[in-house]
Amino acid sequence: MITLASDFGTPYPAAMKGVLCRRTAARLIDVAHDFPRQDVRAGAFWLREVLPYFPPATHLVVIDPGVGTDRDALVVRAGEHALVGPDNGVLLPPARRLAGDAALETYVIDERRLEPVEPAGGETGPSATALSGADADGSDARHGGGDGDARHGPASATFHGRDVFAPAAGEVHEAGLDSLGDLEWLAPLEADPVDCHLPEATVEDDRAAGEVLVVDGFGNVITNVPGDVLAGRERIVVNGETVPVGETFAAVPVGERLATVGSHGYVELDVNRGRGDEAFGLEAGDRVVLEGVSE
Amino acid sequence: MITLASDFGTPYPAAMKGVLCRRTAARLIDVAHDFPRQDVRAGAFWLREVLPYFPPATHLVVIDPGVGTDRDALVVRAGEHALVGPDNGVLLPPARRLAGDAALETYVIDERRLEPVEPAGGETGPSATALSGADADGSDARHGGGDGDARHGPASATFHGRDVFAPAAGEVHEAGLDSLGDLEWLAPLEADPVDCHLPEATVEDDRAAGEVLVVDGFGNVITNVPGDVLAGRERIVVNGETVPVGETFAAVPVGERLATVGSHGYVELDVNRGRGDEAFGLEAGDRVVLEGVSE
Amino acid sequence: MITLASDFGTPYPAAMKGVLCRRTAARLIDVAHDFPRQDVRAGAFWLREVLPYFPPATHLVVIDPGVGTDRDALVVRAGEHALVGPDNGVLLPPARRLAGDAALETYVIDERRLEPVEPAGGETGPSATALSGADADGSDARHGGGDGDARHGPASATFHGRDVFAPAAGEVHEAGLDSLGDLEWLAPLEADPVDCHLPEATVEDDRAAGEVLVVDGFGNVITNVPGDVLAGRERIVVNGETVPVGETFAAVPVGERLATVGSHGYVELDVNRGRGDEAFGLEAGDRVVLEGVSE
């Protein structure tokens, strides 16, 4: 099984699926393609929370603000799972969660040794009508369709998801986890991979200080404060304002704010049938202090 | 085959897919995950219109404004189909359509007897830096990662889709429709399930009175008035205003309003390449009266 | 394998998937269902760029502003691929790319000879409460559920994706490319199909004149100017304004404009982590002139 996650929107992920289908008959499952654009931390958080529910799989992850720079392309083995994506930290938090007690194995992709992607009708590229004499015989590099066609290098400068990561994921799946060391286009990463440490909250007595990790599509504000700080409380002070604690949205009237524990185990600041981010005035990265109510 | 429908947006449905893939190799087909949020009636309408086109399948439906309350979790057998979801009415309209002449069989899920969902690396939960002495030895319940971790109960309070409905759907599919009575975590529902009756229009002579069932993503206003009231008419009076009747959007100029019969068989109020809801000033639940034009 | 592309949003594509699953066990892959609505040219462009990455497949394409008019429904064989969709030009640009050197074979669908789609519980249609005497015995055509039910014709006037194209795609896949001529519901198209010629830019010496083909979901402005006009340049004049040329977004500071070569090989006008369409004031169809910088 291969899962796909990106910040591409549509229809770009379909090209990755096409490339994958040419290399493997594996089942393809979309995780999401509307992750916050170029937001490594948000992607790392969501993937850490979602990927552990899958059976052993190859996870293709393309959230890649540095595409086209010299950042490496990686394959990370994490226990019975493999992750394929850019060396920008997005793979590490989910990899650590997936690996459990196993050590991570990290490989760098040599994209020049990867079998290139060959689209159907590949010999025809962008074309234009050439008006000048130099162009008329088709010999000018400016005329599309020749070797200068940007689609025919070893990899497009802007679509490594299609040209590097998808073929790599397909081949990783076909080879199997125990053969990663034998793949000639993979080499052990000598240095440490770039990491993305999701910030941890500090908890002391009756006070927790953390921050907003992400805001989901419904406006729910997901903090990095462990949910057990809410245990046994009916109310809590959030950045100076007292709000009720509820097990579910339905614990408060429609339109009212509450603090609850999300499915990921962290404190969420929500509004029943409304947007928590607007009601609390919070966005990703903002500081959140939770304090017990003085009775 | 298992279909998935929810109002979760992304990436939450991926966790349900992961859970399903751990229990079954069945084909997974997304119906939609952007149903109007917490809108039982809209979900019931769309699923009634869409699910009958599928071959026999298990349909996982999670539109669940009462998640975490004591509403039951159900499995409904409807002819050759099964539906799995909350006891809030959303399952009944599609179930009746799918069942045809067969009687519905309704079971309640005992979530404590369902095999729990075990994410990879499950022993690590939310963590924080503990500053106080009590926390330093890890014995304080406020410190994440212990038994207090919200993710390790029998089911999260806020994500029954992942923790109850998805595993139930996977097991229903594996067991097969004729074995539902043998599953130890299912018991026949003693009372009647909560129902959601989609309102019916009244039709009398030259006048139909109904309401807007839903507005689709393009702004098409879908009423509950059967499409045959438009038969043979060139114009019709909608809430006092005369509009043309057309077989297709293209029957009127771009930007013009029309009444037509949607693919579901009901009268739709649309605008050719525009939004019917804005042009007619109508939203879900609004009253609609259609009258013949006095020639 | 069958790919699906449409401008339907949700949940309409699910009905097509249901119909397909009743006729074939083929793998279904979504290309996208949020193509610009009723925009034949945008669909033709994207499908030409994306479909060639798939292995041999049947491609179901429903971007169909003329649904319900007398436009034909087509099956086009393009090399090892088949495309199924309306005769409005959307199929031709991707078909030519997929076919490579092979000639296209074009067939017209006789929808009356196609095995009709039969939803579960199909005998129940839209219903209403009849108040007048004539309606009380159920004999009035205005009362839903009878033969007048709009869902029970050979095809809905507004949902040919579900009622014509999906069943046709399923049967094309099952029959195989070499049997298209034997299918009784297909006949060779006598006339030329409607075509959609994506406009070509003109390139002369130091100047390229073209237009915006599409704007993608991130606001990237995709032109029809072949990317090789940017080769070796550090800056270029776009409609009179000089902007830097970069291999990737990251070549310029966040929020800055640049000209780059997209993954499709054409010049794109983008903003690093911003919207190119807003920054350049351009939308689909607008004229774009690129000129070399006078040093």
Side-chain angles (χ1 to χ4, degrees):
Chain A
M1 177 181 314
I2 299 175
T3 76
L4 297 91
S6 77
D7 60 355
F8 287 159
T10 56
Y12 298 103
M16 298 199 296
K17 294 182 197 177
V19 169
L20 284 166
C21 288
R22 282 173 174 248
R23 304 204 180 204
T24 176
R27 194 173 188 176
L28 306 183
I29 304 273
D30 287 311
V31 172
H33 294 289
D34 59 354
F35 281 108
R37 199 177 183 202
Q38 302 189 344
D39 186 338
V40 168
R41 195 173 87 164
F45 170 76
W46 284 119
L47 294 169
R48 187 188 71 180
E49 298 305 316
V50 169
L51 296 186
Y53 290 92
F54 282 89
T58 300
H59 305 287
L60 171 58
V61 177
V62 196
I63 297 171
D64 190 14
V67 61
T69 66
D70 60 359
R71 64 101 188 86
D72 282 328
L74 300 182
V75 175
V76 179
R77 177 175 179 170
E80 297 305 305
H81 296 255
L83 300 99
V84 179
D87 182 21
N88 62 18
V90 71
L91 303 181
L92 273 291
R96 280 189 288 263
R97 183 68 62 86
L98 289 166
D101 295 331
L104 300 183
E105 297 172 20
T106 307
Y107 302 86
V108 62
I109 296 170
D110 181 349
E111 65 182 60
R112 294 160 307 178
R113 301 181 77 173
L114 205 52
E115 187 190 338
V117 169
E118 300 282 5
E123 60 286 347
T124 67
S127 63
T129 303
L131 296 182
S132 67
D135 283 339
D137 65 355
S139 64
D140 191 304
R142 201 170 299 162
H143 187 290
D147 290 341
D149 182 348
R151 296 186 311 131
H152 297 109
S156 144
T158 53
F159 200 177
H160 284 195
R162 179 191 70 197
D163 297 334
V164 177
F165 297 120
E171 299 198 11
V172 161
H173 177 84
E174 288 299 297
L177 289 173
D178 292 331
S179 302
L180 295 182
D182 303 331
L183 294 172
E184 62 167 13
W185 51 272
L186 277 186
L189 183 70
E190 302 293 339
D192 285 333
V194 175
D195 207 343
C196 168
H197 287 288
L198 295 170
E200 288 204 345
T202 56
V203 178
E204 184 174 18
D205 298 333
D206 216 31
R207 184 175 185 278
E211 64 177 84
V212 178
L213 285 176
V214 292
V215 174
D216 74 14
F218 298 124
N220 298 319
V221 174
I222 301 170
T223 76
N224 64 345
V225 178
D228 44 21
V229 304
L230 300 186
R233 297 184 192 275
E234 293 190 359
R235 290 173 296 157
I236 194 140
V237 179
V238 179
N239 288 355
E241 292 185 78
T242 302
V243 298
V245 170
E247 280 206 9
T248 71
F249 299 146
V252 297
V254 169
E256 293 291 309
R257 303 188 298 179
L258 80 159
T260 188
V261 182
S263 57
H264 29 69
Y266 290 102
V267 173
E268 274 190 26
L269 303 172
D270 303 332
V271 168
N272 186 11
R273 305 205 187 191
R275 291 191 67 92
D277 57 344
E278 294 175 1
F280 285 92
L282 289 170
E283 58 184 33
D286 283 353
R287 183 167 173 79
V288 174
V289 175
L290 302 186
E291 294 169 293
V293 174
S294 310
E295 307 293 342
Chain B
M1 177 181 314
I2 299 175
T3 76
L4 297 91
S6 78
D7 59 356
F8 287 159
T10 57
Y12 298 103
M16 298 199 296
K17 294 182 198 177
V19 168
L20 284 166
C21 288
R22 282 173 175 248
R23 305 204 180 205
T24 176
R27 193 174 189 176
L28 305 183
I29 304 273
D30 286 312
V31 172
H33 294 289
D34 60 354
F35 281 108
R37 199 179 182 200
Q38 302 188 343
D39 186 338
V40 167
R41 195 174 85 164
F45 169 75
W46 283 119
L47 294 169
R48 187 187 71 180
E49 298 305 317
V50 168
L51 297 186
Y53 290 92
F54 281 89
T58 300
H59 304 287
L60 171 58
V61 177
V62 196
I63 297 171
D64 190 14
V67 61
T69 65
D70 60 358
R71 64 102 188 85
D72 282 328
L74 300 183
V75 175
V76 178
R77 177 174 179 171
E80 297 305 305
H81 296 255
L83 300 99
V84 179
D87 182 21
N88 62 18
V90 72
L91 304 180
L92 273 291
R96 279 189 288 263
R97 183 67 63 86
L98 289 166
D101 295 330
L104 300 183
E105 297 171 20
T106 307
Y107 301 87
V108 62
I109 296 171
D110 181 349
E111 64 182 61
R112 294 161 306 178
R113 303 181 75 173
L114 206 51
E115 188 191 340
V117 169
E118 300 282 4
E123 60 285 349
T124 67
S127 63
T129 303
L131 297 182
S132 67
D135 283 339
D137 65 355
S139 64
D140 191 303
R142 201 171 300 162
H143 188 290
D147 290 341
D149 182 348
R151 296 185 311 131
H152 297 110
S156 144
T158 53
F159 200 177
H160 283 195
R162 179 192 69 197
D163 297 335
V164 177
F165 297 120
E171 299 198 12
V172 161
H173 177 84
E174 288 299 297
L177 289 173
D178 293 330
S179 302
L180 295 182
D182 303 331
L183 294 172
E184 62 167 12
W185 50 274
L186 276 186
L189 182 70
E190 301 294 339
D192 284 334
V194 175
D195 206 343
C196 168
H197 287 288
L198 295 170
E200 288 204 345
T202 56
V203 178
E204 183 174 19
D205 299 333
D206 215 30
R207 184 176 185 278
E211 64 177 84
V212 178
L213 285 176
V214 291
V215 174
D216 74 15
F218 298 124
N220 298 319
V221 174
I222 301 170
T223 75
N224 64 346
V225 178
D228 44 20
V229 305
L230 300 186
R233 297 184 192 275
E234 294 190 358
R235 290 173 296 158
I236 194 142
V237 179
V238 179
N239 288 355
E241 292 184 78
T242 302
V243 297
V245 171
E247 280 206 9
T248 72
F249 298 146
V252 298
V254 169
E256 292 291 310
R257 302 188 298 180
L258 80 159
T260 188
V261 182
S263 57
H264 29 69
Y266 290 101
V267 173
E268 274 190 26
L269 304 172
D270 303 332
V271 168
N272 186 11
R273 306 205 187 190
R275 290 192 66 92
D277 56 344
E278 294 174 1
F280 284 93
L282 289 170
E283 58 185 33
D286 283 353
R287 184 166 172 79
V288 174
V289 176
L290 302 185
E291 295 170 292
V293 174
S294 309
E295 307 292 343
Chain C
M1 177 181 313
I2 299 176
T3 76
L4 298 90
S6 77
D7 59 356
F8 287 159
T10 57
Y12 298 103
M16 298 199 296
K17 294 182 197 176
V19 169
L20 284 166
C21 288
R22 282 173 174 247
R23 305 204 180 204
T24 176
R27 194 173 188 176
L28 305 183
I29 304 273
D30 287 311
V31 172
H33 294 289
D34 59 355
F35 281 107
R37 199 178 183 201
Q38 302 189 343
D39 186 337
V40 168
R41 196 173 85 164
F45 169 75
W46 283 119
L47 294 169
R48 187 188 70 180
E49 298 305 317
V50 169
L51 296 186
Y53 290 92
F54 281 89
T58 300
H59 304 288
L60 171 58
V61 177
V62 196
I63 297 171
D64 190 14
V67 60
T69 65
D70 60 359
R71 64 100 189 86
D72 282 327
L74 300 183
V75 175
V76 178
R77 177 174 180 170
E80 298 305 305
H81 296 255
L83 300 99
V84 179
D87 182 21
N88 62 18
V90 71
L91 303 180
L92 274 290
R96 279 189 289 263
R97 183 68 62 86
L98 289 166
D101 295 331
L104 300 183
E105 298 171 19
T106 307
Y107 301 86
V108 61
I109 296 170
D110 181 350
E111 64 181 61
R112 294 161 307 178
R113 301 181 77 173
L114 206 51
E115 187 190 339
V117 169
E118 300 282 4
E123 60 286 348
T124 67
S127 63
T129 303
L131 296 182
S132 67
D135 283 340
D137 64 356
S139 64
D140 190 304
R142 200 170 301 163
H143 187 291
D147 291 341
D149 182 348
R151 296 186 311 132
H152 297 109
S156 144
T158 53
F159 201 177
H160 283 194
R162 180 191 68 197
D163 297 334
V164 177
F165 297 120
E171 299 199 10
V172 161
H173 177 84
E174 288 299 297
L177 289 173
D178 293 330
S179 302
L180 295 182
D182 303 331
L183 294 172
E184 62 168 12
W185 51 273
L186 276 186
L189 183 70
E190 301 294 340
D192 285 333
V194 175
D195 206 342
C196 168
H197 286 288
L198 295 170
E200 289 204 344
T202 56
V203 178
E204 184 174 18
D205 299 333
D206 215 30
R207 184 176 186 277
E211 65 177 84
V212 178
L213 285 177
V214 292
V215 174
D216 74 15
F218 298 124
N220 298 319
V221 174
I222 301 170
T223 75
N224 64 345
V225 178
D228 44 20
V229 304
L230 300 185
R233 297 184 192 275
E234 294 190 358
R235 290 173 297 157
I236 195 141
V237 179
V238 179
N239 288 355
E241 293 184 79
T242 302
V243 297
V245 170
E247 279 205 9
T248 71
F249 299 146
V252 297
V254 170
E256 292 291 309
R257 302 188 298 180
L258 80 159
T260 188
V261 182
S263 58
H264 30 69
Y266 290 101
V267 173
E268 275 190 25
L269 304 172
D270 303 332
V271 168
N272 186 11
R273 305 205 187 191
R275 291 192 66 92
D277 56 344
E278 294 175 1
F280 284 93
L282 289 170
E283 59 185 32
D286 283 353
R287 183 165 173 80
V288 174
V289 175
L290 302 185
E291 294 170 293
V293 174
S294 309
E295 308 293 343

